[in-house]
Amino acid sequence: MTEQNATGAAPEPVDTVKAPAAAPQDAIPAQAPAPAAEATVPAPAAPAAAEAPAAAEVPQAAGSAEVTASGATTSAPDTAEAPQAPAPKDRRKLFAFLRWTAAVTVFAVAGAGVAYGVTRPERTDIPGLSTKDDGRWVFPPVVKPTLPPGAPVPFAEDNKDGIHYAAALELLVPAPKGSTQDPALKVEKDSVVSTDTFLEEYEPTAREKMKQGFTTESLRQIVGRGWVMPDGTRTRVYLLRFHSSGFANTFEGCGINMSVNGVKRMEADEAWRKVKLSQSTPSDVTRLSMYSEARPYGDEQVRVGCVDAGDLLAVVFQTRKGEAATVPFHQTVLLQDQLLD
């Protein structure tokens, strides 16, 4: 028994396959034409489905009859077995899908791999930097200095005291893009800062005692860097190098009770405390402390950040008329901490 095709016409006998006669161009299957000398081809006696000629697997128009080698006709499936080349519109959709897939993959990988990427404009999980347009600065790429041959990195198994063998200047956080050098900060060769220059950050009544303490606390060197941003924010970063972490821990010039010049009272930075509790943070922030000038303050507000890193102690001063912004302050202190790790 045979089936009729969608138009009701009876199928042709199957013991010969005839060459198509002037069929419309879009109805001709995509197969190589038979040679002229072989107008008919005898059908095989009992072919298996896997041994059918390749031309028989070419999809036909939906709803048309397909002739099998055994003589029976079957209705061709609506879905072609062999994939066809996508139409131009389909290609555009496919390319658009691939582009979006690639973009999503890149962002997913980047989001999973960052922890300290505070030098770039992409968002990170660092406290205080989780939303866009938050006023953060763009720092140049930061690379840790190359150590002398055989020197251990700070806080390694064989350097638990946290001795830094790199030059202190190479461990200073760089100035962000768009900033200008602070002319008020007096630096000498290789960014060395004298003890008297550093002590200008503190009240005159506290300077003499601090200067005497530097002698007993075995202070070796101070280096510094300062810059001013277009909005008037002024930043001074100092690195104090001591003979050991034990001497560095005796320094009292960076804490809740420090006597900052022109400041009545310092208090713990409340924004820093909140973001540490509400967001995922880098694994080691215990050596960081941040403070803000308590209200009421004068024409400008002062923020101070401290990083206790072995034989080095970083002190970051940031001031701005009105109020010092939180995000750039946190960003600068975190980046300085990263360089000392």
Side-chain angles (χ1 to χ4, degrees):
M1 177 179 293
T2 61
E3 294 179 14
Q4 292 184 346
N5 58 19
T7 61
E12 294 186 81
V14 298
D15 41 344
T16 61
V17 178
K18 295 182 179 181
Q25 187 65 26
D26 56 356
I28 298 177
Q31 65 182 33
E38 297 179 3
T40 62
V41 178
E51 297 176 353
E57 297 180 2
V58 177
Q60 300 181 5
S64 63
E66 181 181 12
V67 182
T68 64
S70 62
T73 60
T74 59
S75 177
D78 290 340
T79 304
E81 297 179 4
Q84 295 182 349
K89 291 183 178 180
D90 294 335
R91 288 195 189 98
R92 288 194 293 270
K93 293 179 180 178
L94 176 61
F95 293 156
F97 173 78
L98 292 176
R99 285 196 299 269
W100 279 106
T101 301
V104 171
T105 302
V106 169
F107 287 128
V109 173
V114 295
Y116 281 94
V118 295
T119 65
R120 298 189 176 192
E122 288 82 2
R123 303 314 307 158
T124 70
D125 290 331
I126 291 179
L129 305 180
S130 60
T131 58
K132 293 184 178 180
D133 300 326
D134 52 10
R136 63 197 172 126
W137 296 337
V138 179
F139 286 86
V142 174
V143 180
K144 291 184 178 180
T146 302
L147 298 178
V153 298
F155 310 106
E157 188 65 26
D158 55 347
N159 186 15
K160 293 183 178 181
D161 196 42
I163 302 299
H164 292 76
Y165 291 94
L169 174 60
E170 297 178 341
L171 296 171
L172 268 175
V173 61
K177 295 181 180 179
S179 64
T180 56
Q181 185 176 353
D182 185 359
L185 179 60
K186 295 172 287 186
V187 295
E188 302 172 5
K189 183 180 179 181
D190 296 329
S191 296
V192 172
V193 175
S194 67
T195 302
D196 291 335
T197 296
F198 172 71
L199 291 176
E200 289 178 3
E201 301 285 357
Y202 297 87
E203 285 287 345
T205 55
R207 294 174 188 174
E208 187 61 32
K209 181 180 178 181
M210 293 179 66
K211 191 172 185 178
Q212 292 177 357
F214 285 151
T215 304
T216 59
E217 294 165 4
S218 300
L219 176 68
R220 294 174 55 191
Q221 185 187 43
I222 303 176
V223 296
R225 175 170 289 145
W227 63 80
V228 181
M229 295 298 286
D231 67 350
T233 302
R234 180 171 173 244
T235 304
R236 288 91 64 206
V237 182
Y238 302 95
L239 283 185
L240 286 70
R241 169 166 269 167
F242 296 84
H243 282 285
S244 69
S245 61
F247 287 111
N249 292 335
T250 62
F251 178 69
E252 298 179 354
C254 203
I256 193 71
N257 296 319
M258 59 183 147
S259 300
V260 180
N261 192 23
V263 175
K264 293 181 179 179
R265 183 172 63 90
M266 299 295 294
E267 62 183 6
D269 191 300
E270 184 66 15
W272 173 246
R273 187 188 69 83
K274 288 181 178 179
V275 294
K276 286 196 300 181
L277 296 176
S278 63
Q279 300 185 25
S280 60
T281 62
S283 58
D284 185 12
V285 292
T286 57
R287 65 187 187 185
L288 299 179
S289 56
M290 301 190 194
Y291 307 94
S292 298
E293 182 179 1
R295 294 178 181 274
Y297 43 81
D299 293 338
E300 63 179 16
Q301 185 188 30
V302 180
R303 295 184 187 268
V304 182
C306 312
V307 182
D308 184 3
D311 64 329
L312 286 175
L313 180 68
V315 186
V316 179
F317 292 90
Q318 199 165 96
T319 58
R320 183 188 179 193
K321 187 176 181 180
E323 183 178 2
T326 300
V327 171
F329 171 60
H330 290 179
Q331 186 184 16
T332 305
V333 178
L334 284 165
L335 185 55
Q336 181 60 75
D337 171 69
Q338 179 185 352
L339 281 169
L340 298 180
D341 193 4

